[in-house]
Amino acid sequence: MDRLLQSKPPPPAAAPPPQQAQPPAPSIARAFSTAPDPALIEPGPDGPLPKVASDGRAPWRNYARPFDRGEQRPKIAIVITNLGLSEAATEAAIQRLPGAVTLGFSPYAGTKLAQWFELARAAGHEVIVSLPMEPANYPDSDPGPHTLLTTLSAEQNIERLRWMLSRFAGYVGVTNHMGARFTTSAEAVRPILTEIKSRGLLFLDSRAAQKSVATAVASEIGLPRIANDRFLDTEAARTAIDARLAEIEQIARRKGVAVAIGYPFPVTIERVEAWTKTLDGKGLVLVPVSAIVTTGAEQ
């Protein structure tokens, strides 16, 4: 017994070499700030306007939703636009759709627009502004008092544009709402796109008109841009929306990227929500619109 008490325990096993701790990957919530950056804002006559920071940072990059740039699967961006006009539709889009779905807000959304924006960003959504532009049948179809019109001077249209851009801060860019007539006029659209570029934003051409020159003009001036491939809900029915989503998949496989725009109809949100859950199994990936824009001027 004494011998047992006096015996020394065996030396402990050598400890494994310490491993360098790896910091956890930042979640979207932590990497995707909801607060507008004061360095990217300048005061305007009607509210805050986006600008390029003195260090060169542009809003379209600063407010972009994080995305793995090494992703090799075909990429699809879905944009639900003209939000903020219906409380129920806006809440459904923010809460039910994945964060990688880009949300576009109407500048006419009123006093709750800043609140909608904060909720959208907190849910991980990238945000754009839907700019009303002159449709082919204007004024029978009138997108509102600040619509960009071919009959106005460049200065008048830019004044209207700045009003729309100053409704809230923290978005990556803009798209055109309607605009079948406006986007076919290079003379009308060029000053608008030049202003958008100067403010460090991206532009999504909704292709409201087949003869839209907006993407071509954006390419000439080096504005970060992307063009819509399909409207999802020209016919707001389940079978029609499912057919458009299937077409978008085919376009993405063929081109590597595809973009679709929808409106916040209950059936659109329902079908997009269900469809996004199938993408991994199809070898496709849902991305924010900023992940697939083209930059630089065409030579």
Side-chain angles (χ1 to χ4, degrees):
M1 183 70 173
D2 292 341
R3 196 177 300 125
L4 288 174
L5 291 174
Q6 292 172 1
S7 64
K8 296 181 180 180
Q19 295 183 350
Q20 187 173 2
Q22 297 295 324
S27 68
I28 289 293
R30 283 180 292 178
F32 194 56
S33 172
T34 61
D37 187 336
L40 301 174
I41 297 172
E42 69 180 23
D46 300 299
L49 285 167
K51 71 168 187 176
V52 177
S54 58
D55 60 6
R57 286 180 299 121
W60 84 266
R61 291 188 184 276
N62 191 79
Y63 299 128
R65 175 186 165 92
F67 175 72
D68 180 6
R69 299 290 169 176
E71 177 62 67
Q72 297 299 308
R73 290 175 292 175
K75 303 171 183 63
I76 300 177
I78 300 292
V79 181
I80 303 298
T81 190
N82 225 32
L83 289 165
L85 302 178
S86 163
E87 184 164 340
T90 302
E91 286 186 355
I94 292 173
Q95 296 174 4
R96 291 177 55 183
L97 296 176
V101 173
T102 300
L103 302 183
F105 284 83
S106 167
Y108 301 137
T111 57
K112 292 195 71 173
L113 185 51
Q115 179 183 341
W116 292 132
F117 164 76
E118 290 178 5
L119 291 173
R121 292 281 294 182
H125 296 285
E126 201 167 85
V127 174
I128 61 175
V129 181
S130 301
L131 303 177
M133 296 186 186
E134 183 180 356
N137 60 343
Y138 181 86
D140 292 337
S141 180
D142 186 350
H146 293 274
T147 299
L148 305 182
L149 301 172
T150 56
T151 54
L152 297 179
S153 68
E155 291 76 17
Q156 289 171 311
N157 276 326
I158 288 174
E159 182 179 353
R160 291 186 173 200
L161 170 66
R162 289 175 179 169
W163 181 90
M164 291 187 277
L165 295 181
S166 66
R167 297 306 86 202
F168 63 101
Y171 48 87
V172 296
V174 302
T175 188
N176 55 296
H177 171 57
M178 300 189 179
R181 179 177 295 164
F182 193 85
T183 58
T184 59
S185 169
E187 181 181 0
V189 81
R190 188 180 298 274
I192 296 301
L193 297 185
T194 300
E195 174 78 5
I196 290 168
K197 180 190 177 184
S198 74
R199 297 197 171 278
L201 303 172
L202 63 80
F203 173 66
L204 167 61
D205 183 358
S206 75
R207 284 186 175 164
Q210 288 186 344
K211 296 182 179 179
S212 171
V213 298
T215 298
V217 173
S219 299
E220 292 172 9
I221 66 174
L223 170 63
R225 71 277 178 189
I226 192 72
N228 180 37
D229 291 298
R230 290 290 186 276
F231 281 102
L232 294 176
D233 43 19
T234 303
E235 180 185 351
R238 290 172 62 113
T239 55
I241 293 169
D242 289 348
R244 299 295 84 74
L245 290 169
E247 291 174 8
I248 282 296
E249 292 178 17
Q250 294 172 2
I251 293 169
R253 293 186 191 282
R254 186 174 69 249
K255 296 170 40 181
V257 299
V259 184
I261 294 176
Y263 292 99
F265 301 124
V267 66
T268 303
I269 293 173
E270 174 205 329
R271 299 317 301 154
V272 170
E273 179 186 21
W275 171 81
T276 58
K277 297 174 183 177
T278 71
L279 293 181
D280 277 344
K282 297 174 180 176
L284 301 167
V285 61
L286 184 68
V287 300
V289 73
S290 67
I292 55 175
V293 295
T294 300
T295 59
E298 286 190 351
Q299 299 299 319

